[in-house]
Amino acid sequence: MSTKFKNLRNDLEDLEQDGQFDIDETSSSGSKSSSKIANYILLFAFIATLTFYAGSQFNSSGIDLNPLDNIVQEFNQPNEDLLNRMGAWMEEMGYGTLTHEELIALRAEGVTATYTSQIRDAGYPEVTLEQLVELQDADVSSTFTSMMAELGYELTVQDLIDMRRADVTAFFTSNMMDLGYTMEELTQENLIRMRNIGVTHTLAERLTEERGALPTVDELIRYRISNQ
């Protein structure tokens, strides 16, 4: 036990010996209650000091107080077989021989061989590793990429990134088309403008019913601005 705790324990013993914890049997019930409260307060202070000191000792000694984090981290590490198969597939797709460190870094960004293959199949066979990381960072899925192509859009990798960062979805775009908007109206720029301001297809549908005519993109944006 440290000197600090020995001194604290001795102080407690001295207080007891001095009679500060003694309860006079002839004293009133109010005095007994006050004495008990004082005892509890002092005991609580002792426990709090002990807890604080023990915690600081563990931290200063570098002891890992949460070994579960290490277990989870090790569990999440891909095994060698998975990395080897990913590396072989990436090499087959033309990305050269990637080291295990590079493969682990790609997986940490959400880039897998499957995702890479899907993006390439969606019309981007020349996509680079850097672009794949940016696509994942912007939450560009292969489904979004394929659906936008199905809707008739010819988008670059950067277009996909910009649209998803503005929360443009294939669902929103398709529903706007169903209401009667054309691709000439639903340009990449207009889709981004509408989503940045919070325009939804339900808003466009409601205004169409109220006005009896399809509002323009600019009218939708002005409506949203004036009703923020």
Side-chain angles (χ1 to χ4, degrees), residues 1-193:
M1 183 179 295
S2 66
T3 302
K4 180 186 295 187
F5 284 122
K6 289 181 179 178
N7 293 338
L8 182 57
R9 187 184 64 180
N10 292 336
D11 291 341
L12 289 171
E13 292 175 351
D14 291 342
L15 286 173
E16 291 174 351
Q17 292 172 0
D18 289 342
Q20 294 195 21
F21 282 8
D22 293 339
I23 301 176
D24 189 349
E25 294 181 355
T26 61
S27 64
S28 65
S29 60
S31 299
K32 291 182 180 180
S33 176
S34 299
S35 179
K36 288 182 179 179
I37 293 174
N39 291 347
Y40 290 143
I41 293 174
L42 190 56
L43 178 61
F44 176 77
F46 175 76
I47 294 174
T49 304
L50 177 62
T51 303
F52 175 79
Y53 180 77
S56 64
Q57 289 298 308
F58 275 118
N59 291 335
S60 62
S61 62
I63 296 177
D64 186 4
L65 295 179
N66 194 7
L68 183 60
D69 288 342
N70 293 334
I71 297 174
V72 172
Q73 185 175 2
E74 292 179 5
F75 180 78
N76 288 333
Q77 288 295 323
N79 60 43
E80 289 297 309
D81 180 60
L82 178 62
L83 287 176
N84 289 335
R85 285 188 284 114
M86 176 181 173
W89 195 357
M90 295 296 285
E91 185 173 2
E92 183 181 333
M93 288 186 287
Y95 294 98
T97 303
L98 302 174
T99 65
H100 277 201
E101 289 73 20
E102 290 172 329
L103 292 170
I104 290 174
L106 286 172
R107 288 184 62 83
E109 296 289 346
V111 176
T112 63
T114 300
Y115 176 75
T116 303
S117 178
Q118 291 172 341
I119 293 295
R120 288 164 59 88
D121 291 344
Y124 303 88
E126 302 301 323
V127 63
T128 66
L129 294 177
E130 290 76 14
Q131 288 175 326
L132 286 166
V133 171
E134 291 179 3
L135 286 167
Q136 273 288 20
D137 183 63
D139 196 26
V140 177
S141 68
S142 58
T143 301
F144 170 75
T145 305
S146 299
M147 286 185 173
M148 292 304 289
E150 287 290 333
L151 291 173
Y153 288 88
E154 296 181 1
L155 304 169
T156 66
V157 169
Q158 190 59 52
D159 291 338
L160 294 170
I161 293 170
D162 293 341
M163 293 176 80
R164 284 301 296 132
R165 284 179 175 166
D167 198 29
V168 175
T169 64
F171 178 78
F172 169 74
T173 307
S174 177
N175 277 287
M176 293 294 283
M177 287 182 171
D178 290 342
L179 290 174
Y181 292 95
T182 65
M183 284 191 63
E184 287 70 26
E185 294 171 300
L186 299 178
T187 62
Q188 175 193 347
E189 179 185 359
N190 280 342
L191 287 170
I192 291 175
R193 288 173 62 207

